[in-house]
Amino acid sequence: MEVRFQTKEESNKQQQEDFLKLSKTERFYSFLRLSERMSRFPVKNKVDKNKDNFIIVIKTK
């Protein structure tokens, strides 16, 4: 494992360069792996406050 000290911009540029060095097929598979990892990423479930509520609408004539 290698530890590098660099700015965020430098890191992003390096990641982009490394990604662009891949063939089109490798990029596609890399995208699929990333998508799979993101699906397993823990997220906070958003609570819908109106989930158990209902609305009664009375139309006036």
Side-chain angles (χ1 to χ4, degrees):
M1 181 174 173
E2 182 180 338
V3 177
R4 293 187 209 168
F5 296 98
Q6 55 191 10
T7 65
K8 183 177 180 179
E9 290 80 17
E10 291 170 337
S11 174
N12 288 342
K13 185 177 180 182
Q14 183 65 45
Q15 288 177 13
Q16 182 179 17
E17 288 174 1
D18 291 343
F19 183 75
L20 293 175
K21 287 179 186 176
L22 300 174
S23 70
K24 291 180 181 182
T25 306
E26 291 171 322
R27 289 182 203 174
F28 177 71
Y29 285 124
S30 176
F31 170 75
L32 292 178
R33 281 190 301 272
L34 177 64
S35 297
E36 181 184 0
R37 282 187 281 162
M38 290 297 292
S39 70
R40 290 184 270 141
F41 192 80
V43 293
K44 237 182 180 177
N45 290 337
K46 189 174 181 181
V47 178
D48 186 6
K49 293 179 183 178
N50 296 322
K51 178 183 173 196
D52 295 326
N53 296 334
F54 63 93
I55 299 173
I56 300 176
V57 178
I58 302 175
K59 295 182 181 179
T60 59
K61 294 182 181 180

